[in-house]
Amino acid sequence: MMESLRKTLKVALRAVPTAILIDGTLNQIKSSCKDCKIVLALISDDYLSKAMDLDLDDWLFGLKNNNQIHILPILLEECFYEDTGYEDILSNRDPLKDSDNVSKAIKKIAMDIRREKDNILDRLSEGSVAGPVVQENTFSIAQSFYHLNYEKQKNEIDQFYTDSGGKFPTVNVFLLRGTNKCGHELLVRSFINIEGFKADVKRLPLPYYAPTENQIWPLVKDTLELGRAPLSSKAIAKKIIDKLKITNIVLQFNDIHVDRTNFLKAINKFWHELNQFIKDQGEAPPHHFFIFVNDRKNQDEYKVEDFLPSEHTTDLESLVQLLTPISPILKKDLSQWVTVLKRDSNPELKNFSKKLRPKITDILPDDTSTMFVVDVIKKVLEVTELDNQIGTIEKITDLWQEE
C-alpha cells in the first residue's frame, strides 16, 4: 500500500517542484533535498525505523529548525510516532490507511500543499537563518531582469492603457504565450514592478484543478483565499470587490494549453460574471483585477472572440488583449540590456554590467544565436559567478513558479 501511495503522491505533486517525497539512502535524500523546500514524510513503522537507521530525523529537523525546509508529515498507518518530533507537526492524526476514500484523501493533501505553497516559501525565505548568504547586490540584480525581455508585450500593455483613457479598466484579460522557458511569471512580476502597483498575486494551475463552468467560482475563491465557507458566485464577487477597494488583484490561470476548450469556458464564465457583478453595483472599485492567461506551448491560434460570449459586445471586446507571443533573446537584446545596466545610477548594477560585458559572447556567440529568458538568466549568473544566488533571484522574480 505504501509504495502505491508514494507513486500516487508523486504524480499528484509533479506541479510542485519544491516538494519531494523522502526515499533512498541518506546521501540520496540529502541530494534530493538540496533544492527543495517542502519535504513530505510518509509516517509509518517502516519509515520511522528507517529514519533512525539513517539518522534522517536529526538531519531533517536540523534543517527545519533553521527555517531551511518545511516538513509535512502524513500519517499512513497507526504507529508509535510519539517522542519522534513528528507529533508536534502532525496536523492530521487520522491514519490515511483508515480513510473511507484513500484517493480522495490523497488529492486533498496535494491540493492543500498547492494552496499553501506560496505561504510556506514566503515564510522560509523571510525567516531563514541558515543556508547561502544573500549578497547585498542580489536584490538589485534580480530586479534588473525585469528589463531584460518583453519589450513588445509591455508596449502593447502601455498602448492598451492609453487607449483606455490613461487608466486600466476594472477587469483586464491578457493572454501570454510562449514556452516554459519564457518566464511568464517574470513578465507578470515585471509588469507589476514597473507599474508600481500594490497587488495580491495568485495562481490557479488549470491542469491540476481541471476547472469547469460549474466549479470555477469556488476555485477562484479558494485561490484568492476569500474564506473556506461555501459561497454563491455573487457573494464571492462581493468579496473580490471589497478587496479591490484595498489593493489590485492579479490572478494567473496557468497552462491553458493542456485543455484549451474546457478551460476557456471556465475562465470566460468567471470573468464575464465578475465584470457584470461590478457593473451592477454601480460604482467601480478604485483598484483593478488583472487576469493573465498563460499558454506555455504556443501551438494554438487565439482570437479575441475566444474570450467573449456568443452575444459579446464591444465593451467586453476592449478588455481582452492577446499579447504578442514571447520571443527568445538575441545577442543584441542582451547587449542592449547590459548597456542599460551600465547607465544605471546604482553602482552595484554598473559593476555587474562591467563584469558581464566581456561574457556576452559566452552566452550568445553570434547574432543568429537565441536563448529563452530563463536559460539566459541562469547563464548570466553562471558567467558572473553568481550562480549560488539563483534560488534567491528566482524567488524575487517569481521564476520559481515556472512549472
Side-chain angles (χ1 to χ4, degrees), residues 197-219:
F197 283 146
K198 177 186 176 184
D200 184 20
V201 183
K202 300 296 182 184
R203 303 160 187 88
L204 199 160
L206 294 167
Y208 187 76
Y209 292 108
T212 65
E213 292 172 288
N214 293 331
Q215 64 175 158
I216 185 63
W217 276 96
L219 286 176

mmCIF file of all heavy atoms in Angstrom, residues 197-219:
data_model
loop_
_atom_site.group_PDB
_atom_site.id
_atom_site.type_symbol
_atom_site.label_atom_id
_atom_site.label_comp_id
_atom_site.label_asym_id
_atom_site.label_seq_id
_atom_site.Cartn_x
_atom_site.Cartn_y
_atom_site.Cartn_z
ATOM 1 N N PHE A 197 2.588 48.929 -8.849
ATOM 2 C CA PHE A 197 1.341 48.515 -8.223
ATOM 3 C C PHE A 197 1.579 47.828 -6.880
ATOM 4 O O PHE A 197 2.565 47.108 -6.702
ATOM 5 C CB PHE A 197 0.599 47.507 -9.097
ATOM 6 C CG PHE A 197 -0.112 48.096 -10.272
ATOM 7 C CD1 PHE A 197 -0.202 47.376 -11.453
ATOM 8 C CD2 PHE A 197 -0.699 49.334 -10.213
ATOM 9 C CE1 PHE A 197 -0.858 47.897 -12.543
ATOM 10 C CE2 PHE A 197 -1.359 49.875 -11.288
ATOM 11 C CZ PHE A 197 -1.435 49.154 -12.463
ATOM 12 N N LYS A 198 0.656 48.030 -5.989
ATOM 13 C CA LYS A 198 0.490 47.116 -4.872
ATOM 14 C C LYS A 198 -0.512 46.075 -5.350
ATOM 15 O O LYS A 198 -1.599 46.423 -5.803
ATOM 16 C CB LYS A 198 -0.051 47.851 -3.640
ATOM 17 C CG LYS A 198 -0.319 46.936 -2.457
ATOM 18 C CD LYS A 198 -0.985 47.702 -1.304
ATOM 19 C CE LYS A 198 -1.342 46.738 -0.176
ATOM 20 N NZ LYS A 198 -2.079 47.432 0.921
ATOM 21 N N ALA A 199 -0.151 44.803 -5.306
ATOM 22 C CA ALA A 199 -1.032 43.784 -5.882
ATOM 23 C C ALA A 199 -0.932 42.478 -5.113
ATOM 24 O O ALA A 199 0.146 42.102 -4.640
ATOM 25 C CB ALA A 199 -0.688 43.544 -7.346
ATOM 26 N N ASP A 200 -2.055 41.814 -4.985
ATOM 27 C CA ASP A 200 -2.106 40.462 -4.439
ATOM 28 C C ASP A 200 -2.050 39.508 -5.632
ATOM 29 O O ASP A 200 -2.962 39.488 -6.454
ATOM 30 C CB ASP A 200 -3.400 40.271 -3.644
ATOM 31 C CG ASP A 200 -3.466 38.909 -2.965
ATOM 32 O OD1 ASP A 200 -2.408 38.283 -2.781
ATOM 33 O OD2 ASP A 200 -4.578 38.460 -2.637
ATOM 34 N N VAL A 201 -0.954 38.744 -5.749
ATOM 35 C CA VAL A 201 -0.731 37.881 -6.909
ATOM 36 C C VAL A 201 -1.032 36.435 -6.541
ATOM 37 O O VAL A 201 -0.451 35.893 -5.602
ATOM 38 C CB VAL A 201 0.720 37.994 -7.414
ATOM 39 C CG1 VAL A 201 0.922 37.150 -8.666
ATOM 40 C CG2 VAL A 201 1.088 39.444 -7.674
ATOM 41 N N LYS A 202 -1.931 35.821 -7.289
ATOM 42 C CA LYS A 202 -2.296 34.424 -7.051
ATOM 43 C C LYS A 202 -2.280 33.660 -8.363
ATOM 44 O O LYS A 202 -2.419 34.237 -9.440
ATOM 45 C CB LYS A 202 -3.690 34.319 -6.428
ATOM 46 C CG LYS A 202 -3.835 35.025 -5.084
ATOM 47 C CD LYS A 202 -2.952 34.413 -4.013
ATOM 48 C CE LYS A 202 -3.158 35.112 -2.668
ATOM 49 N NZ LYS A 202 -2.225 34.589 -1.641
ATOM 50 N N ARG A 203 -2.147 32.333 -8.255
ATOM 51 C CA ARG A 203 -2.065 31.477 -9.439
ATOM 52 C C ARG A 203 -3.020 30.301 -9.300
ATOM 53 O O ARG A 203 -3.071 29.667 -8.252
ATOM 54 C CB ARG A 203 -0.630 30.961 -9.607
ATOM 55 C CG ARG A 203 0.382 32.066 -9.716
ATOM 56 C CD ARG A 203 1.797 31.602 -9.406
ATOM 57 N NE ARG A 203 2.698 32.754 -9.375
ATOM 58 C CZ ARG A 203 2.933 33.476 -8.297
ATOM 59 N NH1 ARG A 203 2.345 33.170 -7.150
ATOM 60 N NH2 ARG A 203 3.753 34.506 -8.357
ATOM 61 N N LEU A 204 -3.725 30.016 -10.378
ATOM 62 C CA LEU A 204 -4.616 28.867 -10.406
ATOM 63 C C LEU A 204 -4.094 27.910 -11.489
ATOM 64 O O LEU A 204 -4.222 28.202 -12.678
ATOM 65 C CB LEU A 204 -6.060 29.296 -10.699
ATOM 66 C CG LEU A 204 -7.162 28.309 -10.317
ATOM 67 C CD1 LEU A 204 -8.505 29.022 -10.191
ATOM 68 C CD2 LEU A 204 -7.290 27.172 -11.297
ATOM 69 N N PRO A 205 -3.464 26.798 -11.086
ATOM 70 C CA PRO A 205 -2.923 25.850 -12.073
ATOM 71 C C PRO A 205 -4.054 25.054 -12.724
ATOM 72 O O PRO A 205 -4.594 24.125 -12.131
ATOM 73 C CB PRO A 205 -2.009 24.947 -11.236
ATOM 74 C CG PRO A 205 -2.570 25.025 -9.846
ATOM 75 C CD PRO A 205 -3.191 26.386 -9.698
ATOM 76 N N LEU A 206 -4.421 25.421 -13.916
ATOM 77 C CA LEU A 206 -5.604 24.846 -14.572
ATOM 78 C C LEU A 206 -5.564 23.319 -14.698
ATOM 79 O O LEU A 206 -6.556 22.658 -14.369
ATOM 80 C CB LEU A 206 -5.789 25.491 -15.949
ATOM 81 C CG LEU A 206 -6.132 26.985 -15.920
ATOM 82 C CD1 LEU A 206 -5.982 27.592 -17.312
ATOM 83 C CD2 LEU A 206 -7.543 27.213 -15.397
ATOM 84 N N PRO A 207 -4.462 22.709 -15.151
ATOM 85 C CA PRO A 207 -4.474 21.248 -15.310
ATOM 86 C C PRO A 207 -4.667 20.518 -13.991
ATOM 87 O O PRO A 207 -5.222 19.424 -13.959
ATOM 88 C CB PRO A 207 -3.091 20.941 -15.904
ATOM 89 C CG PRO A 207 -2.627 22.216 -16.489
ATOM 90 C CD PRO A 207 -3.202 23.295 -15.631
ATOM 91 N N TYR A 208 -4.201 21.136 -12.920
ATOM 92 C CA TYR A 208 -4.289 20.470 -11.624
ATOM 93 C C TYR A 208 -5.722 20.427 -11.099
ATOM 94 O O TYR A 208 -6.194 19.412 -10.608
ATOM 95 C CB TYR A 208 -3.376 21.180 -10.625
ATOM 96 C CG TYR A 208 -3.282 20.438 -9.316
ATOM 97 C CD1 TYR A 208 -2.507 19.282 -9.223
ATOM 98 C CD2 TYR A 208 -3.978 20.867 -8.201
ATOM 99 C CE1 TYR A 208 -2.446 18.576 -8.037
ATOM 100 C CE2 TYR A 208 -3.904 20.171 -7.017
ATOM 101 C CZ TYR A 208 -3.136 19.026 -6.937
ATOM 102 O OH TYR A 208 -3.074 18.326 -5.769
ATOM 103 N N TYR A 209 -6.428 21.548 -11.224
ATOM 104 C CA TYR A 209 -7.798 21.613 -10.712
ATOM 105 C C TYR A 209 -8.847 21.280 -11.765
ATOM 106 O O TYR A 209 -9.998 21.028 -11.420
ATOM 107 C CB TYR A 209 -8.075 23.010 -10.137
ATOM 108 C CG TYR A 209 -7.293 23.308 -8.886
ATOM 109 C CD1 TYR A 209 -6.233 24.210 -8.899
ATOM 110 C CD2 TYR A 209 -7.590 22.680 -7.690
ATOM 111 C CE1 TYR A 209 -5.504 24.479 -7.762
ATOM 112 C CE2 TYR A 209 -6.863 22.944 -6.539
ATOM 113 C CZ TYR A 209 -5.825 23.838 -6.586
ATOM 114 O OH TYR A 209 -5.098 24.098 -5.448
ATOM 115 N N ALA A 210 -8.445 21.293 -13.051
ATOM 116 C CA ALA A 210 -9.364 20.995 -14.154
ATOM 117 C C ALA A 210 -10.717 21.677 -13.959
ATOM 118 O O ALA A 210 -11.756 21.030 -13.859
ATOM 119 C CB ALA A 210 -9.549 19.483 -14.281
ATOM 120 N N PRO A 211 -10.743 23.005 -13.907
ATOM 121 C CA PRO A 211 -11.992 23.710 -13.606
ATOM 122 C C PRO A 211 -13.035 23.565 -14.705
ATOM 123 O O PRO A 211 -12.705 23.470 -15.889
ATOM 124 C CB PRO A 211 -11.539 25.172 -13.490
ATOM 125 C CG PRO A 211 -10.325 25.255 -14.340
ATOM 126 C CD PRO A 211 -9.640 23.933 -14.175
ATOM 127 N N THR A 212 -14.279 23.539 -14.282
ATOM 128 C CA THR A 212 -15.413 23.558 -15.204
ATOM 129 C C THR A 212 -16.207 24.826 -14.932
ATOM 130 O O THR A 212 -15.953 25.548 -13.962
ATOM 131 C CB THR A 212 -16.311 22.337 -14.996
ATOM 132 O OG1 THR A 212 -16.897 22.412 -13.675
ATOM 133 C CG2 THR A 212 -15.524 21.036 -15.129
ATOM 134 N N GLU A 213 -17.193 25.082 -15.781
ATOM 135 C CA GLU A 213 -18.036 26.262 -15.578
ATOM 136 C C GLU A 213 -18.775 26.203 -14.248
ATOM 137 O O GLU A 213 -19.049 27.230 -13.628
ATOM 138 C CB GLU A 213 -19.030 26.385 -16.732
ATOM 139 C CG GLU A 213 -18.361 26.720 -18.055
ATOM 140 C CD GLU A 213 -19.325 26.660 -19.216
ATOM 141 O OE1 GLU A 213 -19.713 25.529 -19.592
ATOM 142 O OE2 GLU A 213 -19.694 27.723 -19.740
ATOM 143 N N ASN A 214 -19.067 24.986 -13.773
ATOM 144 C CA ASN A 214 -19.816 24.848 -12.523
ATOM 145 C C ASN A 214 -18.966 25.065 -11.280
ATOM 146 O O ASN A 214 -19.490 25.428 -10.225
ATOM 147 C CB ASN A 214 -20.449 23.446 -12.447
ATOM 148 C CG ASN A 214 -21.538 23.256 -13.489
ATOM 149 O OD1 ASN A 214 -22.185 24.214 -13.895
ATOM 150 N ND2 ASN A 214 -21.724 22.028 -13.937
ATOM 151 N N GLN A 215 -17.662 24.830 -11.385
ATOM 152 C CA GLN A 215 -16.826 24.900 -10.177
ATOM 153 C C GLN A 215 -15.810 26.038 -10.199
ATOM 154 O O GLN A 215 -15.029 26.185 -9.266
ATOM 155 C CB GLN A 215 -16.065 23.574 -10.003
ATOM 156 C CG GLN A 215 -15.102 23.307 -11.129
ATOM 157 C CD GLN A 215 -14.236 22.086 -10.952
ATOM 158 O OE1 GLN A 215 -13.730 21.558 -11.914
ATOM 159 N NE2 GLN A 215 -14.060 21.619 -9.744
ATOM 160 N N ILE A 216 -15.819 26.863 -11.224
ATOM 161 C CA ILE A 216 -14.763 27.869 -11.339
ATOM 162 C C ILE A 216 -14.824 28.900 -10.216
ATOM 163 O O ILE A 216 -13.791 29.311 -9.673
ATOM 164 C CB ILE A 216 -14.813 28.564 -12.727
ATOM 165 C CG1 ILE A 216 -13.628 29.534 -12.887
ATOM 166 C CG2 ILE A 216 -16.134 29.275 -12.960
ATOM 167 C CD1 ILE A 216 -12.276 28.854 -12.852
ATOM 168 N N TRP A 217 -16.003 29.338 -9.830
ATOM 169 C CA TRP A 217 -16.092 30.354 -8.778
ATOM 170 C C TRP A 217 -15.538 29.864 -7.444
ATOM 171 O O TRP A 217 -14.750 30.583 -6.805
ATOM 172 C CB TRP A 217 -17.540 30.841 -8.630
ATOM 173 C CG TRP A 217 -17.888 31.930 -9.605
ATOM 174 C CD1 TRP A 217 -18.511 31.793 -10.802
ATOM 175 C CD2 TRP A 217 -17.617 33.324 -9.461
ATOM 176 N NE1 TRP A 217 -18.655 33.018 -11.420
ATOM 177 C CE2 TRP A 217 -18.114 33.977 -10.621
ATOM 178 C CE3 TRP A 217 -17.004 34.103 -8.480
ATOM 179 C CZ2 TRP A 217 -18.019 35.354 -10.807
ATOM 180 C CZ3 TRP A 217 -16.903 35.477 -8.660
ATOM 181 C CH2 TRP A 217 -17.405 36.086 -9.815
ATOM 182 N N PRO A 218 -15.908 28.660 -6.973
ATOM 183 C CA PRO A 218 -15.304 28.171 -5.718
ATOM 184 C C PRO A 218 -13.787 28.034 -5.804
ATOM 185 O O PRO A 218 -13.082 28.300 -4.830
ATOM 186 C CB PRO A 218 -15.972 26.803 -5.516
ATOM 187 C CG PRO A 218 -17.272 26.906 -6.241
ATOM 188 C CD PRO A 218 -16.990 27.762 -7.438
ATOM 189 N N LEU A 219 -13.267 27.628 -6.960
ATOM 190 C CA LEU A 219 -11.816 27.508 -7.110
ATOM 191 C C LEU A 219 -11.135 28.868 -7.034
ATOM 192 O O LEU A 219 -10.069 29.010 -6.430
ATOM 193 C CB LEU A 219 -11.482 26.823 -8.435
ATOM 194 C CG LEU A 219 -11.741 25.313 -8.511
ATOM 195 C CD1 LEU A 219 -11.446 24.787 -9.907
ATOM 196 C CD2 LEU A 219 -10.897 24.567 -7.478
#
